[in-house]
Amino acid sequence: MNLLGKKKRAQSWFDERFGISGIVKFLREKKIPQHKHSLWYYTGSAIMLFFVIQVITGFMLVFYYNPTLAEANKSVGRIMTEIPMGWIIRSIHSWSSSFMIAFVFIHLLSIWITKAYRKPRELTWMSGVFLLCVTLAFGFTGYLLPWDDLSLSATKVGTDIPRSIPIVGVWVTKLLRGGEDVTGDTLTRFFGFHVCILPVFIFILLAVHVYLIQKQGMSLPLAVESKKEKIQELPFWPNFVYRESVVWLILLGILFTVAIFLPPSLDKSADLMAPAPEGIRPEWYFLFLFQALKIFPAKILFINGDTFIVILILVEFLLFFFLPFLDNKPAEMKGKFITFLAYVTIVYAVVMTVWSLL
Amino acid sequence: MMWKMKRLLVFSLLIFLLFSFFLLKLNFAQEVMEEEQNKITQAEENAEKIVPSPKDIKESIGIYVFVVWMWIAIIVLIYILRLKIKEVDRLFYIRFFSAKKK
């Protein structure tokens, strides 16, 4: 039997067991609409690319990281100074998390503005909002792991925020910290969240999200759909995948270049007894919340300022989560107002972030 | 003319509102003092800070060479992908695969 015959036999052997031909047929028949907003379709796969990089570099780092009070900072130091190319791996992990979160924000905002959450895609939107929360939780838990002064203080501030929630607040703070204050237990707990609990959540949510996207197909932006013209479509495989590959290559190039030339440094090990250092600042994606908390007055009427803003954030989050049900007729005046709110949110987040950095 | 004036006024007001956030921060004397203080604390901090960088000149050159080759490879791959995209699009528009099925 020649080589081609052997290949065909191997293919049919696998196909009989896994049903690969069905998947290939589905990918060939899946169509991607082409219009002036098609660029946003690439943001989803960019997130997946950075997620895969996060998983691979995370596996590499976990072999050398030690999540104990005495060893956490030292082990990160060892990764950066003793392990061959360790500093690059850590830098790629750190930068790719920032890139991933940036793309999650862009992806969600593009869906908000193009109204892609409309019926029947309500659950796709909701699973996406959950994915945003899990991604931010990854960033928050990962920030403490180097165990330096800045990460300790930022975690103290961050875990203290839920305390302002009425009734359950104190309990949530204790659950996050593993006690009354941020200690070695918090570090172990955060490591557990970062490498065990959150990955389980993200894999389940990703599976649901991707399944829903395949089930419902790609949405058309409201502006394009209302024109009622025939939209040109391209097959997912190979036409769209080739286009995505170009985007992936460019993003990979940028990520590697930034990671090599701007690696994150490591401060000395955190001292639990030391006072908080000046200029405590969370990661860039929490800065707009951090600044809002900073500038808010201590008391508003009879309510504590912190409690007020935390409740306000929770209400805003709930409105954001249930957006497909609030904006069920997006072409009407209410829909236009919600689009305007999306732009206001972008301006607010950018202004607050820049203000916090000044 | 009036309309232009109004538009100019609204724009100026918007820009002022945007930058008024930053104006609050302008306290030059204090800033200079803080900067001096920061320089001292920065020097103290840097003593214990690990700033990642290549270990030696060999690793440093290796990394630069890698970055250059990576970008050359990316440009070549993008060029090949562009040709592939043109080809698969052409086959799709002439309905090559649908005709083959029939």
Side-chain angles (χ1 to χ4, degrees):
Chain A
M1 198 191 296
N2 61 7
L3 202 67
L4 208 69
K6 276 182 186 170
K7 194 185 157 196
K8 278 210 162 180
R9 260 191 70 179
Q11 266 178 352
S12 66
W13 190 89
F14 276 107
D15 190 29
E16 226 173 286
R17 279 142 191 94
F18 289 109
I20 296 166
S21 62
I23 301 168
V24 173
K25 191 169 172 268
F26 172 77
L27 292 177
R28 274 187 197 280
E29 282 169 9
K30 184 178 159 70
K31 295 280 190 290
I32 309 293
Q34 293 297 301
H35 45 77
K36 64 175 181 176
H37 301 290
S38 295
L39 188 73
W40 302 119
Y41 292 145
Y42 297 94
T43 53
S45 68
I47 296 167
M48 286 292 268
L49 170 77
F50 291 122
F51 176 65
V52 170
I53 294 170
Q54 285 294 98
V55 173
I56 295 168
T57 51
F59 279 146
M60 289 175 173
L61 292 172
V62 88
F63 289 137
Y64 298 100
Y65 180 72
N66 195 343
T68 57
L69 201 60
E71 284 295 314
N73 188 270
K74 277 185 202 162
S75 62
V76 177
R78 244 190 332 267
I79 288 170
M80 288 164 68
T81 53
E82 290 171 28
I83 311 298
M85 298 292 161
W87 65 275
I88 295 182
I89 302 295
R90 182 184 174 231
S91 183
I92 292 172
H93 192 73
S94 165
W95 275 105
S96 124
S97 76
S98 284
F99 277 42
M100 183 176 162
I101 291 170
F103 271 92
V104 170
F105 279 133
I106 295 169
H107 187 63
L108 226 74
L109 282 168
S110 72
I111 286 162
W112 189 355
I113 291 164
T114 56
K115 311 271 173 187
Y117 51 74
R118 282 169 293 149
K119 188 185 165 188
R121 295 184 179 83
E122 298 94 335
L123 290 176
T124 319
W125 167 266
M126 289 165 131
S127 59
V129 175
F130 272 133
L131 276 168
L132 168 75
C133 296
V134 175
T135 314
L136 290 176
F138 263 115
F140 184 61
T141 51
Y143 195 56
L144 180 70
L145 301 186
W147 194 252
D148 52 18
D149 280 335
L150 201 67
S151 65
L152 173 70
S153 307
T155 307
K156 274 183 184 170
V157 175
T159 49
D160 207 38
I161 295 170
R163 198 188 284 276
S164 311
I165 306 170
I167 306 163
V168 290
V170 178
W171 179 79
V172 173
T173 300
K174 267 191 183 174
L175 176 81
L176 287 172
R177 289 179 172 178
E180 283 297 333
D181 212 344
V182 178
T183 57
D185 291 341
T186 321
L187 178 68
T188 320
R189 194 161 280 214
F190 271 38
F191 179 71
F193 279 131
H194 197 75
V195 302
C196 293
I197 299 166
L198 292 173
V200 171
F201 276 112
I202 207 162
F203 276 113
I204 294 170
L205 284 167
L206 260 179
V208 173
H209 194 70
V210 171
Y211 169 76
L212 286 170
I213 293 166
Q214 303 314 316
K215 177 91 176 62
Q216 307 295 351
M218 305 301 275
S219 78
L220 280 176
L222 196 64
V224 176
E225 206 178 64
S226 58
K227 281 183 184 165
K228 304 222 166 144
E229 287 167 11
K230 184 148 172 43
I231 303 292
Q232 193 190 335
E233 286 180 324
L234 279 179
F236 179 76
W237 173 260
N239 305 51
F240 191 69
V241 173
Y242 282 159
R243 284 170 166 80
E244 279 195 323
S245 308
V246 173
V247 177
W248 291 344
L249 281 172
I250 295 168
L251 289 175
L252 268 178
I254 295 170
L255 173 71
F256 275 64
T257 312
V258 172
I260 286 169
F261 290 106
L262 297 167
S265 57
L266 177 73
D267 281 338
K268 65 178 187 326
S269 185
D271 181 0
L272 286 168
M273 295 301 163
E278 270 183 43
I280 304 169
R281 200 179 279 165
E283 284 279 55
W284 65 269
Y285 36 86
F286 289 121
L287 282 177
F288 70 101
L289 281 175
F290 179 69
Q291 188 63 18
L293 284 165
K294 225 162 86 175
I295 60 166
F296 229 69
K299 270 238 180 296
I300 296 163
L301 296 171
F302 306 104
I303 311 167
N304 186 320
D306 283 352
T307 310
F308 185 84
I309 195 146
V310 169
I311 292 171
L312 194 73
I313 290 167
L314 283 176
V315 171
E316 278 172 13
F317 174 77
L318 284 175
L319 291 176
F320 186 64
F321 184 68
F322 290 110
L323 188 63
F325 300 103
L326 298 171
D327 186 22
N328 45 11
K329 287 172 185 165
E332 289 178 358
M333 199 59 205
K334 193 169 74 177
K336 281 171 190 158
F337 177 69
I338 283 171
T339 312
F340 171 72
L341 273 185
Y343 288 115
V344 170
T345 309
I346 297 169
V347 172
Y348 163 79
V350 171
V351 169
M352 282 296 187
T353 306
V354 173
W355 189 4
S356 177
L357 288 170
L358 286 172
Chain B
M1 196 66 183
M2 273 298 282
W3 185 79
K4 270 188 182 173
M5 284 286 282
K6 265 186 193 173
R7 198 171 60 171
L8 196 71
L9 199 73
V10 170
F11 266 109
S12 323
L13 200 68
L14 271 174
I15 289 166
F16 173 74
L17 278 175
L18 197 67
F19 285 93
S20 58
F21 285 119
F22 313 130
L23 287 174
L24 292 172
K25 282 259 171 187
L26 293 177
N27 189 348
F28 295 117
Q30 199 185 339
E31 248 178 45
V32 171
M33 275 172 65
E34 273 175 11
E35 209 171 285
E36 286 301 313
Q37 190 60 44
N38 281 347
K39 271 183 195 169
I40 298 164
T41 40
Q42 194 73 41
E44 284 169 2
E45 274 173 15
N46 282 349
E48 293 179 72
K49 204 175 190 176
I50 298 175
V51 182
S53 59
K55 277 182 207 130
D56 46 36
I57 188 80
K58 199 179 156 193
E59 198 178 299
S60 182
I61 291 170
I63 285 164
Y64 292 134
V65 170
F66 168 75
V67 173
V68 171
W69 274 110
M70 179 188 74
W71 277 109
I72 291 171
I74 286 172
I75 291 164
V76 171
L77 279 170
I78 289 174
Y79 177 73
I80 294 168
L81 277 167
R82 270 197 64 198
L83 294 178
K84 289 287 279 178
I85 288 168
K86 275 185 190 169
E87 179 61 13
V88 290
D89 280 358
R90 194 180 64 82
L91 291 176
F92 175 69
Y93 290 129
I94 62 166
R95 294 166 187 267
F96 181 77
F97 292 111
S98 345
K100 210 176 163 186
K101 257 187 212 170
K102 282 168 196 171

